[in-house]
């Protein structure tokens, strides 16, 4: 009875973890001689898996490139119809995934031609194939659920740490900007006071010269 209750709780947590995990799978059209980019913010320490497959297209190549927040290329392939990439993010931030459609040299392609690309962008625990893992390591359902929860907690901890650091950076930036604004305001007020004193002195000198005041 107690085992059943534990399994029920783990099953519920597994459902929650699946809802929390980030999954992006969709299809899009890539026009000939055009590029298309997608941006995703990925926290530090989170596993990422990207795979795509392009439907047949006459005399068209597909190039793919993935760049990190510092615009450094971490994955690039040319002239492929399908490919996959997986890694653990070392530098959190906005990652850009770009596709470009090239034409075979000398080939004539009708204007408006396109290729449909099926893209799957997985983050966190969704990058793991738990069915294969269970078969390979002979895991029982309860053990598999525990493994899923362990990976989910690790992924959530990485995201929490990342966004906490981002919040701290933004707070420090905000405080720095507020300090700059305050000192600029003080500087402007000082300049206004100095200009006002100079103007009063200049007017007094002018009126005395004209003998309008003593």
């Amino acid at each position: 009875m107690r085992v059943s209750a534990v399994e029920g709780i783990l099953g519920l947590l597994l459902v929650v973890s699946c809802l929390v995990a980030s999954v992006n799978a969709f299809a899009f059209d890539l026009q000939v001689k055009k590029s298309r980019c997608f941006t995703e913010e990925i926290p530090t320490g989170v596993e990422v898996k990207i795979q795509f497959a392009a439907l047949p297209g006459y005399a068209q190549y597909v190039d793919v490139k993935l760049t990190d927040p510092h615009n450094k290329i971490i994955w690039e392939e040319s002239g492929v119809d399908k490919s996959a990439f997986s890694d653990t993010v070392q530098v959190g931030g906005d990652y850009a995934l770009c596709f470009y459609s090239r034409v075979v040299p000398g080939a004539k392609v009708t204007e408006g031609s396109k290729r449909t690309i099926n893209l799957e962008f997985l983050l966190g625990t969704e990058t793991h194939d738990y069915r294969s893992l269970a078969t390979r390591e002979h895991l029982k359902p309860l053990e598999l659920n525990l493994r899923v929860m362990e990976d989910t907690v690790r992924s959530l901890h990485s995201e929490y740490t990342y966004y906490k650091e981002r919040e701290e950076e933004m707070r420090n930036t905000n405080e720095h900007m507020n300090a700059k604004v305050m000192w600029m305001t003080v500087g402007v007020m000082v300049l206004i006071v100095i200009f006002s004193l100079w103007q009063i002195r200049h007017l007094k000198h002018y009126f005395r010269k004209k003998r309008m005041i003593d």
Side-chain angles (χ1 to χ4, degrees):
M1 185 72 178
R2 299 178 69 181
V3 174
S4 299
V6 171
E7 290 181 348
I9 294 174
L10 289 174
L12 179 60
L13 292 175
L14 178 59
V15 172
V16 173
S17 69
C18 291
L19 294 175
V20 172
S22 176
V23 185
N24 290 308
F26 57 92
F28 66 94
D29 292 330
L30 182 62
Q31 300 290 334
V32 66
K33 296 182 180 180
K34 299 291 184 179
S35 62
R36 190 155 183 191
C37 296
F38 304 93
T39 303
E40 180 78 18
E41 184 177 8
I42 307 176
T44 304
V46 172
E47 295 178 76
V48 56
K49 183 178 181 180
I50 303 170
Q51 49 191 16
F52 75 92
L55 298 183
Y58 172 71
Q60 297 178 48
Y61 289 138
V62 175
D63 299 338
V64 60
K65 180 173 65 174
L66 177 67
T67 55
D68 67 8
H70 303 299
N71 206 32
K72 178 183 177 182
I73 299 175
I74 59 176
W75 177 43
E76 185 175 25
E77 293 192 45
S78 300
V80 293
D81 291 330
K82 62 180 180 179
S83 187
F85 168 83
S86 61
D87 197 4
T88 299
V89 171
Q90 302 299 326
V91 180
D94 291 330
Y95 282 73
L97 177 66
C98 295
F99 295 87
Y100 179 70
S101 175
R102 289 187 295 114
V103 178
V104 175
K108 293 184 179 180
V109 180
T110 306
E111 190 69 24
S113 298
K114 59 187 179 181
R115 294 189 72 176
T116 299
I117 297 179
N118 295 311
L119 174 63
E120 193 172 30
F121 204 114
L122 307 176
L123 298 176
T125 56
E126 288 298 324
T127 61
H128 301 166
D129 186 353
Y130 288 104
R131 289 185 179 179
S132 299
L133 178 65
T135 302
R136 185 172 62 254
E137 299 186 9
H138 307 289
L139 298 177
K140 297 179 180 179
L142 182 60
E143 294 174 329
L144 180 61
N145 287 343
L146 288 173
R147 179 67 65 85
V148 173
M149 289 307 304
E150 180 184 355
D151 293 340
T152 301
V153 170
R154 186 182 296 110
S155 178
L156 290 175
H157 180 265
S158 297
E159 292 187 24
Y160 171 77
T161 302
Y162 169 75
Y163 286 114
K164 185 177 180 181
E165 292 175 352
R166 284 291 303 272
E167 181 185 5
E168 185 176 352
E169 290 176 2
M170 293 179 66
R171 184 172 62 251
N172 291 338
T173 301
N174 187 42
E175 291 176 354
H176 179 67
M177 290 299 298
N178 289 339
K180 289 182 66 176
V181 170
M182 181 189 71
W183 285 111
M184 287 180 63
T185 303
V186 172
V188 170
M189 292 179 64
V190 171
L191 289 176
I192 291 175
V193 171
I194 293 175
F195 178 75
S196 299
L197 293 176
W198 174 84
Q199 192 174 35
I200 293 173
R201 181 178 179 184
H202 176 73
L203 290 174
K204 282 184 176 181
H205 177 72
Y206 174 78
F207 289 137
R208 284 173 180 167
K209 186 176 181 181
K210 296 295 183 178
R211 297 182 177 179
M212 297 178 66
I213 60 174
D214 295 332

